[in-house]
PDB file of all heavy atoms in Angstrom:
ATOM      1  N   THR A   9      43.942 -15.155  44.843  1.00 83.00           N
ATOM      2  CA  THR A   9      43.788 -14.773  43.441  1.00 83.00           C
ATOM      3  C   THR A   9      44.471 -13.431  43.216  1.00 83.00           C
ATOM      4  O   THR A   9      43.852 -12.380  43.308  1.00 83.00           O
ATOM      5  CB  THR A   9      42.293 -14.679  43.068  1.00 83.00           C
ATOM      6  OG1 THR A   9      41.651 -15.898  43.439  1.00 83.00           O
ATOM      7  CG2 THR A   9      42.115 -14.455  41.590  1.00 83.00           C
ATOM      8  N   PRO A  10      45.776 -13.431  42.933  1.00 85.00           N
ATOM      9  CA  PRO A  10      46.453 -12.159  42.647  1.00 85.00           C
ATOM     10  C   PRO A  10      45.971 -11.609  41.301  1.00 85.00           C
ATOM     11  O   PRO A  10      45.704 -12.366  40.374  1.00 85.00           O
ATOM     12  CB  PRO A  10      47.932 -12.531  42.596  1.00 85.00           C
ATOM     13  CG  PRO A  10      47.997 -13.998  42.454  1.00 85.00           C
ATOM     14  CD  PRO A  10      46.676 -14.561  42.872  1.00 85.00           C
ATOM     15  N   PHE A  11      45.835 -10.289  41.220  1.00 86.00           N
ATOM     16  CA  PHE A  11      45.323  -9.689  39.994  1.00 86.00           C
ATOM     17  C   PHE A  11      46.325  -8.771  39.305  1.00 86.00           C
ATOM     18  O   PHE A  11      46.052  -8.258  38.221  1.00 86.00           O
ATOM     19  CB  PHE A  11      44.019  -8.932  40.268  1.00 86.00           C
ATOM     20  CG  PHE A  11      44.143  -7.881  41.326  1.00 86.00           C
ATOM     21  CD1 PHE A  11      44.537  -6.596  41.008  1.00 86.00           C
ATOM     22  CD2 PHE A  11      43.866  -8.192  42.640  1.00 86.00           C
ATOM     23  CE1 PHE A  11      44.659  -5.635  41.984  1.00 86.00           C
ATOM     24  CE2 PHE A  11      43.987  -7.225  43.635  1.00 86.00           C
ATOM     25  CZ  PHE A  11      44.382  -5.946  43.296  1.00 86.00           C
ATOM     26  N   ASP A  12      47.477  -8.554  39.920  1.00 89.00           N
ATOM     27  CA  ASP A  12      48.489  -7.698  39.305  1.00 89.00           C
ATOM     28  C   ASP A  12      49.847  -8.057  39.895  1.00 89.00           C
ATOM     29  O   ASP A  12      49.933  -8.696  40.940  1.00 89.00           O
ATOM     30  CB  ASP A  12      48.162  -6.226  39.560  1.00 89.00           C
ATOM     31  CG  ASP A  12      48.801  -5.282  38.553  1.00 89.00           C
ATOM     32  OD1 ASP A  12      49.680  -5.706  37.779  1.00 89.00           O
ATOM     33  OD2 ASP A  12      48.430  -4.089  38.542  1.00 89.00           O
ATOM     34  N   LEU A  13      50.898  -7.656  39.211  1.00 90.00           N
ATOM     35  CA  LEU A  13      52.264  -7.940  39.640  1.00 90.00           C
ATOM     36  C   LEU A  13      53.044  -6.631  39.584  1.00 90.00           C
ATOM     37  O   LEU A  13      53.302  -6.103  38.505  1.00 90.00           O
ATOM     38  CB  LEU A  13      52.886  -8.982  38.708  1.00 90.00           C
ATOM     39  CG  LEU A  13      54.297  -9.450  39.043  1.00 90.00           C
ATOM     40  CD1 LEU A  13      54.313 -10.184  40.387  1.00 90.00           C
ATOM     41  CD2 LEU A  13      54.802 -10.366  37.942  1.00 90.00           C
ATOM     42  N   LEU A  14      53.391  -6.091  40.752  1.00 91.00           N
ATOM     43  CA  LEU A  14      54.052  -4.786  40.809  1.00 91.00           C
ATOM     44  C   LEU A  14      55.561  -4.880  40.964  1.00 91.00           C
ATOM     45  O   LEU A  14      56.278  -3.979  40.542  1.00 91.00           O
ATOM     46  CB  LEU A  14      53.464  -3.954  41.952  1.00 91.00           C
ATOM     47  CG  LEU A  14      51.946  -3.768  41.907  1.00 91.00           C
ATOM     48  CD1 LEU A  14      51.485  -2.923  43.076  1.00 91.00           C
ATOM     49  CD2 LEU A  14      51.506  -3.174  40.590  1.00 91.00           C
ATOM     50  N   TYR A  15      56.040  -5.939  41.592  1.00 93.00           N
ATOM     51  CA  TYR A  15      57.476  -6.147  41.796  1.00 93.00           C
ATOM     52  C   TYR A  15      57.794  -7.609  41.526  1.00 93.00           C
ATOM     53  O   TYR A  15      57.006  -8.488  41.837  1.00 93.00           O
ATOM     54  CB  TYR A  15      57.882  -5.805  43.234  1.00 93.00           C
ATOM     55  CG  TYR A  15      57.746  -4.350  43.576  1.00 93.00           C
ATOM     56  CD1 TYR A  15      56.585  -3.854  44.127  1.00 93.00           C
ATOM     57  CD2 TYR A  15      58.798  -3.459  43.336  1.00 93.00           C
ATOM     58  CE1 TYR A  15      56.449  -2.515  44.435  1.00 93.00           C
ATOM     59  CE2 TYR A  15      58.672  -2.118  43.633  1.00 93.00           C
ATOM     60  CZ  TYR A  15      57.500  -1.655  44.187  1.00 93.00           C
ATOM     61  OH  TYR A  15      57.374  -0.320  44.472  1.00 93.00           O
ATOM     62  N   LEU A  16      58.983  -7.868  40.957  1.00 95.00           N
ATOM     63  CA  LEU A  16      59.420  -9.235  40.729  1.00 95.00           C
ATOM     64  C   LEU A  16      60.938  -9.281  40.753  1.00 95.00           C
ATOM     65  O   LEU A  16      61.592  -8.533  40.013  1.00 95.00           O
ATOM     66  CB  LEU A  16      58.906  -9.759  39.379  1.00 95.00           C
ATOM     67  CG  LEU A  16      59.334 -11.177  39.005  1.00 95.00           C
ATOM     68  CD1 LEU A  16      58.767 -12.197  39.998  1.00 95.00           C
ATOM     69  CD2 LEU A  16      58.896 -11.506  37.592  1.00 95.00           C
ATOM     70  N   ASP A  17      61.478 -10.105  41.615  1.00 94.00           N
ATOM     71  CA  ASP A  17      62.926 -10.306  41.710  1.00 94.00           C
ATOM     72  C   ASP A  17      63.687  -8.986  41.847  1.00 94.00           C
ATOM     73  O   ASP A  17      64.727  -8.785  41.208  1.00 94.00           O
ATOM     74  CB  ASP A  17      63.451 -11.084  40.498  1.00 94.00           C
ATOM     75  CG  ASP A  17      62.905 -12.498  40.440  1.00 94.00           C
ATOM     76  OD1 ASP A  17      62.593 -13.060  41.512  1.00 94.00           O
ATOM     77  OD2 ASP A  17      62.783 -13.031  39.329  1.00 94.00           O
ATOM     78  N   GLY A  18      63.150  -8.076  42.651  1.00 95.00           N
ATOM     79  CA  GLY A  18      63.813  -6.795  42.894  1.00 95.00           C
ATOM     80  C   GLY A  18      63.541  -5.728  41.850  1.00 95.00           C
ATOM     81  O   GLY A  18      64.047  -4.608  41.955  1.00 95.00           O
ATOM     82  N   TYR A  19      62.743  -6.028  40.838  1.00 93.00           N
ATOM     83  CA  TYR A  19      62.440  -5.058  39.787  1.00 93.00           C
ATOM     84  C   TYR A  19      61.066  -4.437  40.003  1.00 93.00           C
ATOM     85  O   TYR A  19      60.085  -5.141  40.256  1.00 93.00           O
ATOM     86  CB  TYR A  19      62.480  -5.720  38.401  1.00 93.00           C
ATOM     87  CG  TYR A  19      63.862  -6.144  38.004  1.00 93.00           C
ATOM     88  CD1 TYR A  19      64.263  -7.468  38.156  1.00 93.00           C
ATOM     89  CD2 TYR A  19      64.780  -5.225  37.491  1.00 93.00           C
ATOM     90  CE1 TYR A  19      65.540  -7.876  37.805  1.00 93.00           C
ATOM     91  CE2 TYR A  19      66.063  -5.620  37.146  1.00 93.00           C
ATOM     92  CZ  TYR A  19      66.434  -6.941  37.300  1.00 93.00           C
ATOM     93  OH  TYR A  19      67.697  -7.334  36.960  1.00 93.00           O
ATOM     94  N   ASP A  20      61.001  -3.138  39.864  1.00 92.00           N
ATOM     95  CA  ASP A  20      59.754  -2.393  39.963  1.00 92.00           C
ATOM     96  C   ASP A  20      59.049  -2.470  38.610  1.00 92.00           C
ATOM     97  O   ASP A  20      59.562  -1.987  37.605  1.00 92.00           O
ATOM     98  CB  ASP A  20      60.064  -0.942  40.324  1.00 92.00           C
ATOM     99  CG  ASP A  20      58.832  -0.094  40.559  1.00 92.00           C
ATOM    100  OD1 ASP A  20      57.714  -0.549  40.259  1.00 92.00           O
ATOM    101  OD2 ASP A  20      58.994   1.045  41.034  1.00 92.00           O
ATOM    102  N   LEU A  21      57.871  -3.075  38.576  1.00 92.00           N
ATOM    103  CA  LEU A  21      57.135  -3.252  37.325  1.00 92.00           C
ATOM    104  C   LEU A  21      55.983  -2.261  37.166  1.00 92.00           C
ATOM    105  O   LEU A  21      55.191  -2.377  36.230  1.00 92.00           O
ATOM    106  CB  LEU A  21      56.577  -4.682  37.256  1.00 92.00           C
ATOM    107  CG  LEU A  21      57.595  -5.808  37.363  1.00 92.00           C
ATOM    108  CD1 LEU A  21      56.898  -7.161  37.370  1.00 92.00           C
ATOM    109  CD2 LEU A  21      58.593  -5.725  36.229  1.00 92.00           C
ATOM    110  N   ARG A  22      55.900  -1.269  38.042  1.00 90.00           N
ATOM    111  CA  ARG A  22      54.763  -0.359  38.001  1.00 90.00           C
ATOM    112  C   ARG A  22      54.667   0.451  36.715  1.00 90.00           C
ATOM    113  O   ARG A  22      53.580   0.878  36.344  1.00 90.00           O
ATOM    114  CB  ARG A  22      54.783   0.581  39.203  1.00 90.00           C
ATOM    115  CG  ARG A  22      54.512  -0.157  40.511  1.00 90.00           C
ATOM    116  CD  ARG A  22      54.600   0.741  41.689  1.00 90.00           C
ATOM    117  NE  ARG A  22      55.990   1.193  41.836  1.00 90.00           N
ATOM    118  CZ  ARG A  22      56.384   2.086  42.722  1.00 90.00           C
ATOM    119  NH1 ARG A  22      55.511   2.640  43.542  1.00 90.00           N
ATOM    120  NH2 ARG A  22      57.645   2.436  42.808  1.00 90.00           N
ATOM    121  N   LYS A  23      55.771   0.649  36.003  1.00 88.00           N
ATOM    122  CA  LYS A  23      55.728   1.398  34.745  1.00 88.00           C
ATOM    123  C   LYS A  23      55.576   0.490  33.523  1.00 88.00           C
ATOM    124  O   LYS A  23      55.480   0.959  32.403  1.00 88.00           O
ATOM    125  CB  LYS A  23      56.966   2.276  34.601  1.00 88.00           C
ATOM    126  CG  LYS A  23      56.980   3.401  35.619  1.00 88.00           C
ATOM    127  CD  LYS A  23      58.144   4.329  35.407  1.00 88.00           C
ATOM    128  CE  LYS A  23      58.126   5.435  36.466  1.00 88.00           C
ATOM    129  NZ  LYS A  23      59.260   6.320  36.336  1.00 88.00           N
ATOM    130  N   VAL A  24      55.539  -0.805  33.756  1.00 91.00           N
ATOM    131  CA  VAL A  24      55.329  -1.782  32.687  1.00 91.00           C
ATOM    132  C   VAL A  24      53.825  -1.831  32.408  1.00 91.00           C
ATOM    133  O   VAL A  24      53.017  -1.792  33.337  1.00 91.00           O
ATOM    134  CB  VAL A  24      55.854  -3.174  33.123  1.00 91.00           C
ATOM    135  CG1 VAL A  24      55.510  -4.240  32.114  1.00 91.00           C
ATOM    136  CG2 VAL A  24      57.354  -3.107  33.378  1.00 91.00           C
ATOM    137  N   PRO A  25      53.393  -1.899  31.135  1.00 89.00           N
ATOM    138  CA  PRO A  25      51.956  -1.951  30.836  1.00 89.00           C
ATOM    139  C   PRO A  25      51.253  -3.111  31.547  1.00 89.00           C
ATOM    140  O   PRO A  25      51.826  -4.186  31.736  1.00 89.00           O
ATOM    141  CB  PRO A  25      51.915  -2.142  29.314  1.00 89.00           C
ATOM    142  CG  PRO A  25      53.224  -1.588  28.834  1.00 89.00           C
ATOM    143  CD  PRO A  25      54.207  -1.885  29.927  1.00 89.00           C
ATOM    144  N   LEU A  26      50.010  -2.887  31.919  1.00 88.00           N
ATOM    145  CA  LEU A  26      49.223  -3.870  32.659  1.00 88.00           C
ATOM    146  C   LEU A  26      49.189  -5.226  31.959  1.00 88.00           C
ATOM    147  O   LEU A  26      49.373  -6.263  32.595  1.00 88.00           O
ATOM    148  CB  LEU A  26      47.794  -3.359  32.872  1.00 88.00           C
ATOM    149  CG  LEU A  26      46.827  -4.326  33.552  1.00 88.00           C
ATOM    150  CD1 LEU A  26      47.294  -4.683  34.957  1.00 88.00           C
ATOM    151  CD2 LEU A  26      45.431  -3.746  33.583  1.00 88.00           C
ATOM    152  N   GLU A  27      48.959  -5.244  30.649  1.00 87.00           N
ATOM    153  CA  GLU A  27      48.874  -6.530  29.939  1.00 87.00           C
ATOM    154  C   GLU A  27      50.173  -7.326  30.060  1.00 87.00           C
ATOM    155  O   GLU A  27      50.142  -8.541  30.216  1.00 87.00           O
ATOM    156  CB  GLU A  27      48.507  -6.315  28.477  1.00 87.00           C
ATOM    157  CG  GLU A  27      47.052  -5.928  28.313  1.00 87.00           C
ATOM    158  CD  GLU A  27      46.621  -5.946  26.861  1.00 87.00           C
ATOM    159  OE1 GLU A  27      47.164  -6.750  26.081  1.00 87.00           O
ATOM    160  OE2 GLU A  27      45.723  -5.163  26.521  1.00 87.00           O
ATOM    161  N   ALA A  28      51.311  -6.650  30.011  1.00 91.00           N
ATOM    162  CA  ALA A  28      52.600  -7.343  30.155  1.00 91.00           C
ATOM    163  C   ALA A  28      52.768  -7.870  31.575  1.00 91.00           C
ATOM    164  O   ALA A  28      53.268  -8.986  31.778  1.00 91.00           O
ATOM    165  CB  ALA A  28      53.747  -6.401  29.787  1.00 91.00           C
ATOM    166  N   ARG A  29      52.354  -7.084  32.569  1.00 91.00           N
ATOM    167  CA  ARG A  29      52.436  -7.554  33.959  1.00 91.00           C
ATOM    168  C   ARG A  29      51.541  -8.768  34.162  1.00 91.00           C
ATOM    169  O   ARG A  29      51.904  -9.723  34.834  1.00 91.00           O
ATOM    170  CB  ARG A  29      52.043  -6.436  34.935  1.00 91.00           C
ATOM    171  CG  ARG A  29      52.997  -5.275  34.961  1.00 91.00           C
ATOM    172  CD  ARG A  29      52.779  -4.359  36.145  1.00 91.00           C
ATOM    173  NE  ARG A  29      51.406  -4.001  36.431  1.00 91.00           N
ATOM    174  CZ  ARG A  29      50.793  -2.902  35.996  1.00 91.00           C
ATOM    175  NH1 ARG A  29      51.435  -2.039  35.217  1.00 91.00           N
ATOM    176  NH2 ARG A  29      49.548  -2.642  36.328  1.00 91.00           N
ATOM    177  N   LYS A  30      50.337  -8.747  33.569  1.00 89.00           N
ATOM    178  CA  LYS A  30      49.415  -9.873  33.709  1.00 89.00           C
ATOM    179  C   LYS A  30      49.977 -11.129  33.033  1.00 89.00           C
ATOM    180  O   LYS A  30      49.833 -12.236  33.562  1.00 89.00           O
ATOM    181  CB  LYS A  30      48.038  -9.531  33.113  1.00 89.00           C
ATOM    182  CG  LYS A  30      47.330  -8.360  33.765  1.00 89.00           C
ATOM    183  CD  LYS A  30      46.459  -8.687  34.920  1.00 89.00           C
ATOM    184  CE  LYS A  30      45.310  -9.571  34.608  1.00 89.00           C
ATOM    185  NZ  LYS A  30      44.526  -9.882  35.796  1.00 89.00           N
ATOM    186  N   ARG A  31      50.616 -10.983  31.874  1.00 90.00           N
ATOM    187  CA  ARG A  31      51.227 -12.145  31.211  1.00 90.00           C
ATOM    188  C   ARG A  31      52.330 -12.738  32.083  1.00 90.00           C
ATOM    189  O   ARG A  31      52.426 -13.959  32.230  1.00 90.00           O
ATOM    190  CB  ARG A  31      51.806 -11.734  29.844  1.00 90.00           C
ATOM    191  CG  ARG A  31      50.794 -11.666  28.735  1.00 90.00           C
ATOM    192  CD  ARG A  31      51.456 -11.585  27.372  1.00 90.00           C
ATOM    193  NE  ARG A  31      52.397 -10.484  27.247  1.00 90.00           N
ATOM    194  CZ  ARG A  31      52.085  -9.254  26.858  1.00 90.00           C
ATOM    195  NH1 ARG A  31      50.838  -8.954  26.560  1.00 90.00           N
ATOM    196  NH2 ARG A  31      53.009  -8.319  26.757  1.00 90.00           N
ATOM    197  N   THR A  32      53.145 -11.867  32.674  1.00 93.00           N
ATOM    198  CA  THR A  32      54.222 -12.331  33.555  1.00 93.00           C
ATOM    199  C   THR A  32      53.633 -13.027  34.776  1.00 93.00           C
ATOM    200  O   THR A  32      54.103 -14.097  35.185  1.00 93.00           O
ATOM    201  CB  THR A  32      55.121 -11.160  33.980  1.00 93.00           C
ATOM    202  OG1 THR A  32      55.621 -10.517  32.814  1.00 93.00           O
ATOM    203  CG2 THR A  32      56.260 -11.620  34.855  1.00 93.00           C
ATOM    204  N   LEU A  33      52.597 -12.444  35.352  1.00 91.00           N
ATOM    205  CA  LEU A  33      51.940 -13.042  36.516  1.00 91.00           C
ATOM    206  C   LEU A  33      51.405 -14.431  36.178  1.00 91.00           C
ATOM    207  O   LEU A  33      51.631 -15.387  36.923  1.00 91.00           O
ATOM    208  CB  LEU A  33      50.801 -12.138  36.995  1.00 91.00           C
ATOM    209  CG  LEU A  33      49.963 -12.642  38.160  1.00 91.00           C
ATOM    210  CD1 LEU A  33      50.823 -12.826  39.402  1.00 91.00           C
ATOM    211  CD2 LEU A  33      48.814 -11.692  38.428  1.00 91.00           C
ATOM    212  N   ALA A  34      50.739 -14.568  35.054  1.00 89.00           N
ATOM    213  CA  ALA A  34      50.196 -15.867  34.646  1.00 89.00           C
ATOM    214  C   ALA A  34      51.315 -16.889  34.467  1.00 89.00           C
ATOM    215  O   ALA A  34      51.169 -18.053  34.862  1.00 89.00           O
ATOM    216  CB  ALA A  34      49.394 -15.722  33.354  1.00 89.00           C
ATOM    217  N   ALA A  35      52.436 -16.455  33.909  1.00 89.00           N
ATOM    218  CA  ALA A  35      53.551 -17.372  33.666  1.00 89.00           C
ATOM    219  C   ALA A  35      54.178 -17.878  34.963  1.00 89.00           C
ATOM    220  O   ALA A  35      54.540 -19.049  35.066  1.00 89.00           O
ATOM    221  CB  ALA A  35      54.609 -16.690  32.801  1.00 89.00           C
ATOM    222  N   ILE A  36      54.294 -17.013  35.962  1.00 87.00           N
ATOM    223  CA  ILE A  36      54.940 -17.453  37.206  1.00 87.00           C
ATOM    224  C   ILE A  36      53.990 -18.203  38.135  1.00 87.00           C
ATOM    225  O   ILE A  36      54.444 -18.981  38.961  1.00 87.00           O
ATOM    226  CB  ILE A  36      55.631 -16.288  37.957  1.00 87.00           C
ATOM    227  CG1 ILE A  36      54.631 -15.248  38.419  1.00 87.00           C
ATOM    228  CG2 ILE A  36      56.706 -15.663  37.105  1.00 87.00           C
ATOM    229  CD1 ILE A  36      55.239 -14.164  39.291  1.00 87.00           C
ATOM    230  N   LEU A  37      52.673 -17.992  37.990  1.00 84.00           N
ATOM    231  CA  LEU A  37      51.728 -18.691  38.858  1.00 84.00           C
ATOM    232  C   LEU A  37      51.600 -20.160  38.496  1.00 84.00           C
ATOM    233  O   LEU A  37      51.421 -20.999  39.376  1.00 84.00           O
ATOM    234  CB  LEU A  37      50.341 -18.038  38.804  1.00 84.00           C
ATOM    235  CG  LEU A  37      50.187 -16.730  39.554  1.00 84.00           C
ATOM    236  CD1 LEU A  37      48.763 -16.226  39.423  1.00 84.00           C
ATOM    237  CD2 LEU A  37      50.563 -16.877  41.015  1.00 84.00           C
TER     238      LEU A  37
END
Side-chain angles (χ1 to χ4, degrees):
T9 307
F11 56 88
D12 202 348
L13 183 64
L14 305 180
Y15 294 92
L16 178 64
D17 295 332
Y19 292 99
D20 184 349
L21 303 176
R22 292 177 294 174
K23 292 184 181 178
V24 173
L26 176 62
E27 287 190 31
R29 294 194 315 266
K30 299 271 297 178
R31 278 194 305 271
T32 304
L33 177 62
I36 64 174
L37 285 181

